[in-house]
Amino acid sequence: DAKTTQPPSMDCAEGRAANLPCNHSTISGNEYVYWYRQIHSQGPQYIIHGLKNNETNEMASLIITEDRKSSTLILPHATLRDTAVYYCIVRKSSNTGKLIFGQGTTLQVKP
Amino acid sequence: EAQVTQNPRYLITVTGKKLTVTCSQNMNHEYMSWYRQDPGLGLRQIYYSMNVEVTDKGDVPEGYKVSRKEKRNFPLILESPSPNQTSLYFCASSRGQVDIQYFGAGTRLSVL
């Protein structure tokens, strides 16, 4: 599975959009980009995933560049409850099921 | 409500005293997995199971056992716990091995 690079930490003002970048320059054609988050030692929570096209659900939007070497997770209106560690994971379409969590980005949403 | 349930949530034990951490899911998922999380090392997979009676080692299986006798349950067994198994443990399940994984709330284990 391809390696990902994320900034270690980011701040965001409450009510503003949080844009979390992820670099995955070695991604291959059959690898998906997944985003999970972990709120203070709770179990990781699935947010969104995509292959090529941009995706949106009730939690967030995922923007994947055309060359697929990077992506951005967008939380449109961040709240204090969105403070968490966000993990960008690149995953093959067929593997053992293992999720490889890197160090992630700690997002601090401030009032 | 769809969920993955782990018990206990917190456990303090002593070296060598066998223990079992239970994991149960109510989503009829085929795939289940155990991870441990340690500071600076992220989450690492211990064991996984593709279906009933099918289990396999993850990245850090030493000192652990699992079983999958029923689809809903995937207990993690520490036959002789040691202090280096002090960690935060998560169970996860998904419909198949490449589907979205849902995680339990975690079990914080301390081995003295």
Short mmCIF file of all heavy atoms in Angstrom, two decimals, chain B residues 35-100:
data_model
loop_
_atom_site.label_atom_id
_atom_site.label_comp_id
_atom_site.label_asym_id
_atom_site.label_seq_id
_atom_site.Cartn_x
_atom_site.Cartn_y
_atom_site.Cartn_z
N TYR B 35 -6.54 -4.68 16.36
CA TYR B 35 -5.40 -3.76 16.28
C TYR B 35 -4.97 -3.39 17.70
O TYR B 35 -5.77 -3.40 18.62
CB TYR B 35 -5.79 -2.45 15.57
CG TYR B 35 -6.18 -2.57 14.12
CD1 TYR B 35 -7.47 -2.91 13.75
CD2 TYR B 35 -5.25 -2.28 13.12
CE1 TYR B 35 -7.83 -2.98 12.40
CE2 TYR B 35 -5.61 -2.34 11.78
CZ TYR B 35 -6.90 -2.69 11.44
OH TYR B 35 -7.25 -2.76 10.11
N ARG B 36 -3.71 -3.03 17.81
CA ARG B 36 -3.26 -2.40 19.04
C ARG B 36 -2.68 -1.02 18.69
O ARG B 36 -2.13 -0.83 17.59
CB ARG B 36 -2.23 -3.24 19.80
CG ARG B 36 -0.94 -3.54 19.08
CD ARG B 36 0.02 -4.33 19.95
NE ARG B 36 0.61 -3.51 21.01
CZ ARG B 36 1.42 -3.96 21.96
NH1 ARG B 36 1.74 -5.26 22.01
NH2 ARG B 36 1.92 -3.15 22.88
N GLN B 37 -2.83 -0.09 19.61
CA GLN B 37 -2.35 1.27 19.37
C GLN B 37 -1.40 1.67 20.48
O GLN B 37 -1.77 1.64 21.66
CB GLN B 37 -3.51 2.25 19.29
CG GLN B 37 -3.07 3.67 18.94
CD GLN B 37 -4.24 4.60 18.71
OE1 GLN B 37 -5.33 4.41 19.26
NE2 GLN B 37 -4.05 5.60 17.86
N ASP B 38 -0.21 2.06 20.10
CA ASP B 38 0.81 2.49 21.04
C ASP B 38 1.35 3.84 20.63
O ASP B 38 1.47 4.12 19.43
CB ASP B 38 1.95 1.46 21.09
CG ASP B 38 1.45 0.08 21.43
OD1 ASP B 38 1.10 -0.12 22.62
OD2 ASP B 38 1.39 -0.79 20.55
N PRO B 39 1.71 4.68 21.58
CA PRO B 39 2.22 6.03 21.26
C PRO B 39 3.41 5.96 20.31
O PRO B 39 4.35 5.20 20.52
CB PRO B 39 2.64 6.57 22.63
CG PRO B 39 1.81 5.82 23.61
CD PRO B 39 1.64 4.45 23.03
N GLY B 40 3.34 6.76 19.25
CA GLY B 40 4.43 6.82 18.28
C GLY B 40 4.45 5.69 17.27
O GLY B 40 5.21 5.75 16.30
N LEU B 41 3.63 4.65 17.48
CA LEU B 41 3.64 3.50 16.57
C LEU B 41 2.34 3.37 15.79
O LEU B 41 2.22 2.52 14.91
CB LEU B 41 3.89 2.21 17.35
CG LEU B 41 5.24 2.12 18.05
CD1 LEU B 41 5.33 0.84 18.86
CD2 LEU B 41 6.38 2.17 17.02
N GLY B 42 1.35 4.17 16.12
CA GLY B 42 0.08 4.10 15.41
C GLY B 42 -0.67 2.81 15.71
O GLY B 42 -0.39 2.12 16.69
N LEU B 43 -1.62 2.49 14.87
CA LEU B 43 -2.38 1.25 15.01
C LEU B 43 -1.73 0.15 14.19
O LEU B 43 -1.41 0.35 13.02
CB LEU B 43 -3.82 1.43 14.53
CG LEU B 43 -4.78 2.11 15.49
CD1 LEU B 43 -4.78 3.60 15.29
CD2 LEU B 43 -6.19 1.55 15.29
N ARG B 44 -1.55 -0.99 14.80
CA ARG B 44 -0.94 -2.12 14.12
C ARG B 44 -1.87 -3.34 14.22
O ARG B 44 -2.42 -3.60 15.28
CB ARG B 44 0.42 -2.45 14.72
CG ARG B 44 1.47 -1.35 14.53
CD ARG B 44 2.75 -1.69 15.26
NE ARG B 44 2.58 -1.66 16.70
CZ ARG B 44 3.47 -2.13 17.57
NH1 ARG B 44 4.59 -2.70 17.13
NH2 ARG B 44 3.26 -2.04 18.87
N GLN B 45 -1.98 -4.06 13.13
CA GLN B 45 -2.91 -5.19 13.10
C GLN B 45 -2.29 -6.40 13.80
O GLN B 45 -1.15 -6.78 13.53
CB GLN B 45 -3.27 -5.53 11.66
CG GLN B 45 -4.41 -6.52 11.54
CD GLN B 45 -4.72 -6.88 10.10
OE1 GLN B 45 -3.84 -7.28 9.36
NE2 GLN B 45 -5.97 -6.72 9.71
N ILE B 46 -3.08 -7.05 14.65
CA ILE B 46 -2.62 -8.22 15.39
C ILE B 46 -3.03 -9.50 14.66
O ILE B 46 -2.20 -10.34 14.31
CB ILE B 46 -3.20 -8.22 16.82
CG1 ILE B 46 -2.85 -6.92 17.55
CG2 ILE B 46 -2.67 -9.42 17.60
CD1 ILE B 46 -3.58 -6.76 18.87
N TYR B 47 -4.32 -9.67 14.47
CA TYR B 47 -4.89 -10.81 13.77
C TYR B 47 -6.11 -10.34 13.01
O TYR B 47 -6.70 -9.32 13.33
CB TYR B 47 -5.34 -11.89 14.77
CG TYR B 47 -4.32 -12.97 15.08
CD1 TYR B 47 -3.49 -12.84 16.19
CD2 TYR B 47 -4.21 -14.09 14.29
CE1 TYR B 47 -2.56 -13.83 16.49
CE2 TYR B 47 -3.28 -15.09 14.57
CZ TYR B 47 -2.45 -14.94 15.67
OH TYR B 47 -1.53 -15.92 15.96
N TYR B 48 -6.48 -11.12 12.01
CA TYR B 48 -7.71 -10.84 11.31
C TYR B 48 -8.40 -12.15 10.94
O TYR B 48 -7.79 -13.23 10.98
CB TYR B 48 -7.48 -9.97 10.07
CG TYR B 48 -6.64 -10.60 8.98
CD1 TYR B 48 -7.22 -11.26 7.90
CD2 TYR B 48 -5.25 -10.51 9.02
CE1 TYR B 48 -6.45 -11.81 6.90
CE2 TYR B 48 -4.47 -11.07 8.03
CZ TYR B 48 -5.07 -11.71 6.96
OH TYR B 48 -4.29 -12.26 5.97
N SER B 49 -9.67 -12.01 10.58
CA SER B 49 -10.45 -13.19 10.21
C SER B 49 -11.34 -12.84 9.03
O SER B 49 -12.11 -11.88 9.08
CB SER B 49 -11.33 -13.63 11.39
OG SER B 49 -12.26 -14.61 11.00
N MET B 50 -11.23 -13.63 7.96
CA MET B 50 -12.04 -13.39 6.76
C MET B 50 -13.44 -13.98 6.92
O MET B 50 -14.37 -13.54 6.24
CB MET B 50 -11.36 -14.02 5.54
CG MET B 50 -9.98 -13.47 5.24
SD MET B 50 -10.05 -11.92 4.33
CE MET B 50 -8.40 -11.87 3.65
N ASN B 51 -13.58 -14.98 7.77
CA ASN B 51 -14.89 -15.60 7.97
C ASN B 51 -14.77 -16.59 9.12
O ASN B 51 -13.70 -16.78 9.71
CB ASN B 51 -15.35 -16.30 6.69
CG ASN B 51 -16.87 -16.27 6.53
OD1 ASN B 51 -17.60 -16.32 7.53
ND2 ASN B 51 -17.32 -16.18 5.31
N VAL B 52 -15.87 -17.27 9.41
CA VAL B 52 -15.88 -18.25 10.51
C VAL B 52 -14.81 -19.31 10.26
O VAL B 52 -14.66 -19.80 9.14
CB VAL B 52 -17.27 -18.90 10.61
CG1 VAL B 52 -17.27 -20.01 11.67
CG2 VAL B 52 -18.32 -17.86 10.95
N GLU B 53 -14.04 -19.59 11.31
CA GLU B 53 -12.98 -20.60 11.28
C GLU B 53 -11.82 -20.24 10.36
O GLU B 53 -10.96 -21.09 10.09
CB GLU B 53 -13.54 -21.98 10.89
CG GLU B 53 -14.64 -22.51 11.81
CD GLU B 53 -14.15 -22.87 13.20
OE1 GLU B 53 -12.95 -22.71 13.51
OE2 GLU B 53 -14.98 -23.32 14.02
N VAL B 54 -11.75 -18.99 9.89
CA VAL B 54 -10.64 -18.55 9.05
C VAL B 54 -9.96 -17.36 9.71
O VAL B 54 -10.53 -16.26 9.78
CB VAL B 54 -11.13 -18.13 7.64
CG1 VAL B 54 -9.93 -17.69 6.78
CG2 VAL B 54 -11.88 -19.26 6.96
N THR B 55 -8.77 -17.59 10.24
CA THR B 55 -8.03 -16.51 10.89
C THR B 55 -6.61 -16.47 10.36
O THR B 55 -6.09 -17.49 9.87
CB THR B 55 -7.99 -16.68 12.42
OG1 THR B 55 -7.27 -17.87 12.75
CG2 THR B 55 -9.39 -16.75 13.01
N ASP B 56 -5.98 -15.31 10.47
CA ASP B 56 -4.60 -15.20 9.99
C ASP B 56 -3.87 -14.12 10.77
O ASP B 56 -4.50 -13.21 11.34
CB ASP B 56 -4.57 -14.89 8.50
CG ASP B 56 -3.32 -15.46 7.83
OD1 ASP B 56 -2.34 -15.78 8.54
OD2 ASP B 56 -3.31 -15.59 6.59
N LYS B 57 -2.55 -14.21 10.77
CA LYS B 57 -1.73 -13.27 11.52
C LYS B 57 -1.64 -11.94 10.81
O LYS B 57 -1.56 -11.86 9.59
CB LYS B 57 -0.32 -13.85 11.68
CG LYS B 57 -0.26 -15.13 12.50
CD LYS B 57 1.16 -15.67 12.55
CE LYS B 57 1.21 -16.96 13.36
NZ LYS B 57 2.57 -17.53 13.39
N GLY B 58 -1.62 -10.89 11.63
CA GLY B 58 -1.34 -9.56 11.13
C GLY B 58 0.14 -9.24 11.30
O GLY B 58 0.98 -10.12 11.16
N ASP B 59 0.43 -8.01 11.66
CA ASP B 59 1.83 -7.59 11.76
C ASP B 59 2.47 -7.91 13.10
O ASP B 59 3.68 -8.08 13.18
CB ASP B 59 1.93 -6.08 11.52
CG ASP B 59 1.54 -5.72 10.09
OD1 ASP B 59 1.87 -6.51 9.18
OD2 ASP B 59 0.92 -4.66 9.90
N VAL B 60 1.68 -7.98 14.15
CA VAL B 60 2.24 -8.18 15.49
C VAL B 60 1.47 -9.25 16.26
O VAL B 60 0.88 -9.00 17.30
CB VAL B 60 2.25 -6.85 16.29
CG1 VAL B 60 3.31 -5.91 15.75
CG2 VAL B 60 0.88 -6.18 16.27
N PRO B 61 1.49 -10.51 15.78
CA PRO B 61 0.67 -11.56 16.40
C PRO B 61 1.28 -12.22 17.64
O PRO B 61 0.59 -12.95 18.36
CB PRO B 61 0.56 -12.58 15.28
CG PRO B 61 1.85 -12.44 14.53
CD PRO B 61 2.20 -10.97 14.60
N GLU B 62 2.58 -11.98 17.90
CA GLU B 62 3.25 -12.72 18.96
C GLU B 62 2.61 -12.43 20.32
O GLU B 62 2.43 -11.29 20.71
CB GLU B 62 4.74 -12.35 19.01
CG GLU B 62 5.55 -12.76 17.79
CD GLU B 62 5.33 -11.83 16.61
OE1 GLU B 62 4.91 -10.67 16.83
OE2 GLU B 62 5.54 -12.27 15.47
N GLY B 63 2.30 -13.51 21.03
CA GLY B 63 1.73 -13.39 22.37
C GLY B 63 0.21 -13.34 22.38
O GLY B 63 -0.40 -13.21 23.45
N TYR B 64 -0.41 -13.43 21.22
CA TYR B 64 -1.87 -13.35 21.11
C TYR B 64 -2.42 -14.58 20.41
O TYR B 64 -1.75 -15.21 19.60
CB TYR B 64 -2.29 -12.11 20.32
CG TYR B 64 -1.77 -10.81 20.84
CD1 TYR B 64 -0.60 -10.25 20.33
CD2 TYR B 64 -2.44 -10.13 21.85
CE1 TYR B 64 -0.11 -9.04 20.81
CE2 TYR B 64 -1.97 -8.91 22.33
CZ TYR B 64 -0.80 -8.38 21.80
OH TYR B 64 -0.33 -7.19 22.27
N LYS B 65 -3.67 -14.90 20.74
CA LYS B 65 -4.42 -15.91 20.00
C LYS B 65 -5.80 -15.35 19.73
O LYS B 65 -6.27 -14.46 20.45
CB LYS B 65 -4.56 -17.20 20.85
CG LYS B 65 -3.32 -18.06 20.91
CD LYS B 65 -3.51 -19.22 21.85
CE LYS B 65 -4.69 -20.09 21.50
NZ LYS B 65 -4.80 -21.27 22.40
N VAL B 66 -6.45 -15.88 18.71
CA VAL B 66 -7.82 -15.51 18.41
C VAL B 66 -8.60 -16.76 18.04
O VAL B 66 -8.02 -17.81 17.77
CB VAL B 66 -7.92 -14.48 17.25
CG1 VAL B 66 -7.33 -13.14 17.64
CG2 VAL B 66 -7.25 -15.04 16.00
N SER B 67 -9.91 -16.62 18.02
CA SER B 67 -10.75 -17.70 17.48
C SER B 67 -11.96 -17.07 16.82
O SER B 67 -12.35 -15.94 17.14
CB SER B 67 -11.17 -18.66 18.59
OG SER B 67 -12.09 -18.03 19.47
N ARG B 68 -12.54 -17.77 15.88
CA ARG B 68 -13.73 -17.27 15.20
C ARG B 68 -14.68 -18.47 15.00
O ARG B 68 -14.80 -19.03 13.93
CB ARG B 68 -13.35 -16.65 13.86
CG ARG B 68 -14.51 -15.93 13.17
CD ARG B 68 -14.60 -14.51 13.54
NE ARG B 68 -15.74 -13.83 12.95
CZ ARG B 68 -15.74 -13.28 11.74
NH1 ARG B 68 -14.67 -13.37 10.96
NH2 ARG B 68 -16.81 -12.65 11.29
N LYS B 69 -15.35 -18.81 16.08
CA LYS B 69 -16.28 -19.95 16.04
C LYS B 69 -17.65 -19.53 15.53
O LYS B 69 -18.43 -20.35 15.02
CB LYS B 69 -16.40 -20.58 17.41
CG LYS B 69 -15.11 -21.23 17.91
CD LYS B 69 -15.34 -21.94 19.23
CE LYS B 69 -14.14 -22.78 19.62
NZ LYS B 69 -12.92 -21.99 19.83
N GLU B 70 -17.98 -18.27 15.73
CA GLU B 70 -19.26 -17.74 15.24
C GLU B 70 -18.95 -16.45 14.48
O GLU B 70 -17.95 -15.79 14.78
CB GLU B 70 -20.20 -17.38 16.39
CG GLU B 70 -20.35 -18.42 17.46
CD GLU B 70 -20.93 -17.79 18.71
OE1 GLU B 70 -20.16 -17.26 19.53
OE2 GLU B 70 -22.17 -17.81 18.86
N LYS B 71 -19.84 -16.10 13.59
CA LYS B 71 -19.60 -14.92 12.77
C LYS B 71 -19.53 -13.65 13.60
O LYS B 71 -18.73 -12.76 13.32
CB LYS B 71 -20.72 -14.79 11.74
CG LYS B 71 -20.36 -13.95 10.54
CD LYS B 71 -21.51 -13.98 9.54
CE LYS B 71 -20.99 -13.91 8.16
NZ LYS B 71 -22.06 -13.87 7.15
N ARG B 72 -20.32 -13.52 14.61
CA ARG B 72 -20.42 -12.26 15.34
C ARG B 72 -19.30 -12.04 16.35
O ARG B 72 -19.05 -10.91 16.75
CB ARG B 72 -21.77 -12.15 16.04
CG ARG B 72 -22.03 -13.20 17.10
CD ARG B 72 -23.43 -13.04 17.70
NE ARG B 72 -23.55 -11.79 18.43
CZ ARG B 72 -24.51 -10.89 18.18
NH1 ARG B 72 -25.40 -11.11 17.24
NH2 ARG B 72 -24.58 -9.77 18.88
N ASN B 73 -18.60 -13.08 16.77
CA ASN B 73 -17.63 -12.94 17.86
C ASN B 73 -16.19 -13.21 17.42
O ASN B 73 -15.94 -14.16 16.65
CB ASN B 73 -17.98 -13.89 19.00
CG ASN B 73 -19.31 -13.55 19.65
OD1 ASN B 73 -19.65 -12.38 19.79
ND2 ASN B 73 -20.05 -14.58 20.03
N PHE B 74 -15.28 -12.43 17.96
CA PHE B 74 -13.86 -12.58 17.58
C PHE B 74 -13.03 -12.23 18.82
O PHE B 74 -12.45 -11.15 18.91
CB PHE B 74 -13.55 -11.67 16.41
CG PHE B 74 -12.19 -11.88 15.78
CD1 PHE B 74 -11.71 -13.15 15.52
CD2 PHE B 74 -11.40 -10.79 15.42
CE1 PHE B 74 -10.48 -13.35 14.91
CE2 PHE B 74 -10.16 -10.97 14.81
CZ PHE B 74 -9.70 -12.26 14.56
N PRO B 75 -12.94 -13.13 19.78
CA PRO B 75 -12.21 -12.81 21.01
C PRO B 75 -10.69 -12.80 20.82
O PRO B 75 -10.15 -13.57 20.02
CB PRO B 75 -12.62 -13.95 21.96
CG PRO B 75 -13.00 -15.07 21.05
CD PRO B 75 -13.58 -14.45 19.82
N LEU B 76 -10.04 -11.94 21.57
CA LEU B 76 -8.58 -11.85 21.58
C LEU B 76 -8.10 -12.44 22.91
O LEU B 76 -8.53 -12.01 23.97
CB LEU B 76 -8.14 -10.39 21.48
CG LEU B 76 -6.63 -10.14 21.48
CD1 LEU B 76 -6.00 -10.64 20.18
CD2 LEU B 76 -6.36 -8.65 21.66
N ILE B 77 -7.22 -13.42 22.81
CA ILE B 77 -6.77 -14.16 23.99
C ILE B 77 -5.29 -13.89 24.23
O ILE B 77 -4.47 -14.02 23.32
CB ILE B 77 -7.00 -15.67 23.79
CG1 ILE B 77 -8.48 -15.93 23.49
CG2 ILE B 77 -6.54 -16.46 25.02
CD1 ILE B 77 -8.73 -17.21 22.74
N LEU B 78 -4.98 -13.53 25.47
CA LEU B 78 -3.58 -13.39 25.89
C LEU B 78 -3.32 -14.50 26.89
O LEU B 78 -3.79 -14.44 28.03
CB LEU B 78 -3.32 -12.01 26.51
CG LEU B 78 -3.23 -10.83 25.54
CD1 LEU B 78 -4.59 -10.46 24.97
CD2 LEU B 78 -2.60 -9.63 26.23
N GLU B 79 -2.62 -15.54 26.46
CA GLU B 79 -2.41 -16.73 27.31
C GLU B 79 -1.53 -16.40 28.52
O GLU B 79 -1.78 -16.86 29.62
CB GLU B 79 -1.76 -17.85 26.50
CG GLU B 79 -2.63 -18.40 25.37
CD GLU B 79 -3.49 -19.58 25.82
OE1 GLU B 79 -3.44 -19.94 27.01
OE2 GLU B 79 -4.20 -20.13 24.97
N SER B 80 -0.50 -15.62 28.29
CA SER B 80 0.42 -15.26 29.36
C SER B 80 0.86 -13.81 29.16
O SER B 80 1.94 -13.55 28.62
CB SER B 80 1.63 -16.20 29.37
OG SER B 80 2.50 -15.90 30.44
N PRO B 81 0.02 -12.87 29.56
CA PRO B 81 0.30 -11.46 29.28
C PRO B 81 1.63 -11.00 29.87
O PRO B 81 2.04 -11.44 30.95
CB PRO B 81 -0.88 -10.73 29.95
CG PRO B 81 -1.94 -11.75 30.11
CD PRO B 81 -1.23 -13.06 30.30
N SER B 82 2.26 -10.09 29.15
CA SER B 82 3.50 -9.49 29.63
C SER B 82 3.37 -7.97 29.56
O SER B 82 2.50 -7.45 28.85
CB SER B 82 4.68 -9.96 28.77
OG SER B 82 4.51 -9.53 27.45
N PRO B 83 4.20 -7.24 30.31
CA PRO B 83 4.08 -5.78 30.34
C PRO B 83 4.14 -5.12 28.96
O PRO B 83 3.53 -4.06 28.75
CB PRO B 83 5.26 -5.36 31.22
CG PRO B 83 5.45 -6.51 32.14
CD PRO B 83 5.17 -7.72 31.31
N ASN B 84 4.85 -5.73 28.01
CA ASN B 84 4.91 -5.11 26.68
C ASN B 84 3.61 -5.26 25.90
O ASN B 84 3.49 -4.77 24.76
CB ASN B 84 6.10 -5.63 25.87
CG ASN B 84 5.99 -7.10 25.53
OD1 ASN B 84 4.95 -7.72 25.71
ND2 ASN B 84 7.08 -7.67 25.03
N GLN B 85 2.62 -5.91 26.47
CA GLN B 85 1.30 -5.96 25.86
C GLN B 85 0.36 -4.92 26.45
O GLN B 85 -0.82 -4.87 26.10
CB GLN B 85 0.71 -7.37 26.00
CG GLN B 85 1.48 -8.39 25.17
CD GLN B 85 0.97 -9.79 25.33
OE1 GLN B 85 0.99 -10.36 26.43
NE2 GLN B 85 0.50 -10.38 24.25
N THR B 86 0.88 -4.09 27.32
CA THR B 86 0.12 -2.93 27.79
C THR B 86 -0.12 -2.03 26.59
O THR B 86 0.82 -1.59 25.92
CB THR B 86 0.92 -2.18 28.87
OG1 THR B 86 0.99 -2.99 30.04
CG2 THR B 86 0.25 -0.85 29.22
N SER B 87 -1.39 -1.76 26.31
CA SER B 87 -1.71 -1.04 25.08
C SER B 87 -3.20 -0.73 25.04
O SER B 87 -3.97 -1.13 25.91
CB SER B 87 -1.33 -1.90 23.86
OG SER B 87 -1.48 -1.17 22.64
N LEU B 88 -3.59 -0.02 24.00
CA LEU B 88 -5.01 0.24 23.70
C LEU B 88 -5.38 -0.65 22.52
O LEU B 88 -4.75 -0.59 21.47
CB LEU B 88 -5.20 1.73 23.35
CG LEU B 88 -6.59 2.21 23.00
CD1 LEU B 88 -7.58 1.91 24.11
CD2 LEU B 88 -6.55 3.71 22.71
N TYR B 89 -6.40 -1.48 22.71
CA TYR B 89 -6.78 -2.47 21.71
C TYR B 89 -8.12 -2.11 21.07
O TYR B 89 -9.06 -1.71 21.76
CB TYR B 89 -6.88 -3.86 22.35
CG TYR B 89 -5.55 -4.41 22.79
CD1 TYR B 89 -5.01 -4.10 24.04
CD2 TYR B 89 -4.80 -5.22 21.94
CE1 TYR B 89 -3.79 -4.59 24.44
CE2 TYR B 89 -3.57 -5.72 22.33
CZ TYR B 89 -3.07 -5.39 23.57
OH TYR B 89 -1.84 -5.88 23.95
N PHE B 90 -8.16 -2.30 19.75
CA PHE B 90 -9.39 -2.05 19.02
C PHE B 90 -9.76 -3.26 18.18
O PHE B 90 -8.92 -3.84 17.49
CB PHE B 90 -9.25 -0.85 18.08
CG PHE B 90 -9.11 0.46 18.79
CD1 PHE B 90 -7.87 1.08 18.88
CD2 PHE B 90 -10.21 1.07 19.36
CE1 PHE B 90 -7.74 2.29 19.53
CE2 PHE B 90 -10.09 2.29 20.01
CZ PHE B 90 -8.84 2.89 20.10
N CYS B 91 -11.04 -3.58 18.21
CA CYS B 91 -11.61 -4.57 17.32
C CYS B 91 -12.33 -3.84 16.20
O CYS B 91 -12.89 -2.75 16.42
CB CYS B 91 -12.58 -5.45 18.10
SG CYS B 91 -13.39 -6.72 17.15
N ALA B 92 -12.30 -4.40 15.00
CA ALA B 92 -12.98 -3.78 13.87
C ALA B 92 -13.68 -4.86 13.06
O ALA B 92 -13.26 -6.03 13.07
CB ALA B 92 -11.99 -3.01 12.99
N SER B 93 -14.72 -4.47 12.34
CA SER B 93 -15.39 -5.42 11.46
C SER B 93 -15.81 -4.72 10.18
O SER B 93 -15.99 -3.49 10.16
CB SER B 93 -16.61 -6.06 12.15
OG SER B 93 -17.70 -5.16 12.19
N SER B 94 -15.97 -5.52 9.12
CA SER B 94 -16.46 -4.99 7.85
C SER B 94 -17.13 -6.11 7.09
O SER B 94 -16.90 -7.29 7.36
CB SER B 94 -15.32 -4.36 7.02
OG SER B 94 -14.32 -5.31 6.76
N ARG B 95 -17.92 -5.71 6.11
CA ARG B 95 -18.65 -6.70 5.33
C ARG B 95 -17.68 -7.66 4.64
O ARG B 95 -17.86 -8.86 4.66
CB ARG B 95 -19.53 -5.98 4.31
CG ARG B 95 -20.53 -6.85 3.61
CD ARG B 95 -21.45 -6.00 2.77
NE ARG B 95 -20.69 -5.08 1.93
CZ ARG B 95 -21.22 -4.14 1.17
NH1 ARG B 95 -22.51 -3.95 1.18
NH2 ARG B 95 -20.48 -3.36 0.44
N GLY B 96 -16.68 -7.09 4.01
CA GLY B 96 -15.61 -7.87 3.39
C GLY B 96 -14.30 -7.20 3.71
O GLY B 96 -14.27 -6.12 4.31
N GLN B 97 -13.18 -7.80 3.30
CA GLN B 97 -11.89 -7.25 3.73
C GLN B 97 -11.57 -5.91 3.09
O GLN B 97 -10.70 -5.20 3.58
CB GLN B 97 -10.74 -8.23 3.47
CG GLN B 97 -10.37 -8.45 2.02
CD GLN B 97 -11.02 -9.67 1.46
OE1 GLN B 97 -12.13 -10.03 1.83
NE2 GLN B 97 -10.33 -10.33 0.57
N VAL B 98 -12.26 -5.51 2.02
CA VAL B 98 -11.96 -4.22 1.40
C VAL B 98 -13.08 -3.21 1.62
O VAL B 98 -13.11 -2.16 1.01
CB VAL B 98 -11.66 -4.36 -0.10
CG1 VAL B 98 -10.38 -5.15 -0.30
CG2 VAL B 98 -12.83 -4.99 -0.85
N ASP B 99 -14.01 -3.54 2.50
CA ASP B 99 -15.11 -2.62 2.79
C ASP B 99 -14.77 -1.73 3.98
O ASP B 99 -13.75 -1.92 4.64
CB ASP B 99 -16.40 -3.39 3.05
CG ASP B 99 -16.90 -4.11 1.82
OD1 ASP B 99 -17.09 -3.44 0.79
OD2 ASP B 99 -17.05 -5.35 1.88
N ILE B 100 -15.64 -0.78 4.25
CA ILE B 100 -15.44 0.15 5.35
C ILE B 100 -15.38 -0.62 6.66
O ILE B 100 -16.23 -1.47 6.93
CB ILE B 100 -16.59 1.16 5.40
CG1 ILE B 100 -16.62 1.99 4.12
CG2 ILE B 100 -16.48 2.05 6.63
CD1 ILE B 100 -17.92 2.74 3.93
#
